[in-house]
Amino acid sequence: HRDLHSFPTRRSSDLNDAQLKAVDYLFKPLVLQRIDENPAETTRPTMSIADLFNWLHVAIFNDLHYSTIPLVSRNLQSEYVERLAVLATAPVKGTPSDAQALAQAELSRIARDAATALLGNHDSVTRAHLSALVRAAKHPTAPKTTEATPSS
């Protein structure tokens, strides 16, 4: 029988690191350019840059209504908002303007969804997290260092 409290915290950070590496890859200027150009390069249906932002939103924020949002989800949501803030306010050279506009729209959507979720019944940590998401999404600022900026 394993004590729940002895679960290594390293595992959640490892999972978050893997998730964020995937997001960082998708937000690289060359990847965003390729996705943005997809619809113009084929007559068949293909993934659009709007699809990318929508699919990421659904995957990352599907648990905002939970009374307790798990630590791994809270970490990913907070880090994702930071990455959107960079795309919206200080995009890396070569980032398509569509990505910058969609990042701004996505921040507005997150602020709205988190504010709506606050109307529900949540534990204190989840409530604080949702409030922080609303603030960060409504007032995005790019980090002063380039460490959080995905490399191209």
Side-chain angles (χ1 to χ4, degrees):
H1 173 264
R2 189 172 180 161
D3 181 11
L4 180 63
H5 299 288
S6 69
F7 186 76
T9 55
R10 182 172 172 221
R11 300 219 179 176
S12 65
S13 66
D14 289 347
L15 182 54
N16 280 129
D17 288 346
Q19 292 168 324
L20 293 169
K21 280 181 184 176
V23 171
D24 288 343
Y25 173 78
L26 291 170
F27 282 178
K28 285 184 177 186
L30 290 176
V31 174
L32 289 168
Q33 287 171 16
R34 184 71 185 255
I35 294 169
D36 198 30
E37 294 167 358
N38 273 349
E41 294 183 7
T42 183
T43 57
R44 291 192 247 161
T46 185
M47 175 180 165
S48 70
I49 198 164
D51 290 333
L52 172 67
F53 281 86
N54 188 55
W55 294 338
L56 285 169
H57 181 90
V58 169
I60 294 170
F61 295 97
N62 66 344
D63 56 2
L64 289 183
H65 65 282
Y66 290 9
S67 61
T68 300
I69 298 175
L71 175 63
V72 171
S73 292
R74 292 192 314 267
N75 290 344
L76 177 59
Q77 290 164 357
S78 296
E79 291 285 341
Y80 183 67
V81 167
E82 286 182 22
R83 281 154 172 78
L84 287 173
V86 170
L87 275 178
T89 62
V92 175
K93 184 177 179 176
T95 299
S97 59
D98 287 345
Q100 185 176 9
L102 285 164
Q104 292 166 344
E106 179 61 13
L107 287 166
S108 295
R109 180 180 181 189
I110 292 165
R112 183 196 69 226
D113 290 355
T116 300
L118 272 167
L119 301 174
N121 184 25
H122 302 284
D123 64 34
S124 60
V125 172
T126 296
R127 184 163 291 286
H129 169 69
L130 291 169
S131 294
L133 284 179
V134 171
R135 279 190 310 278
K138 280 187 175 182
H139 308 287
T141 56
K144 292 187 171 131
T145 65
T146 57
E147 290 176 6
T149 304
S151 58
S152 43

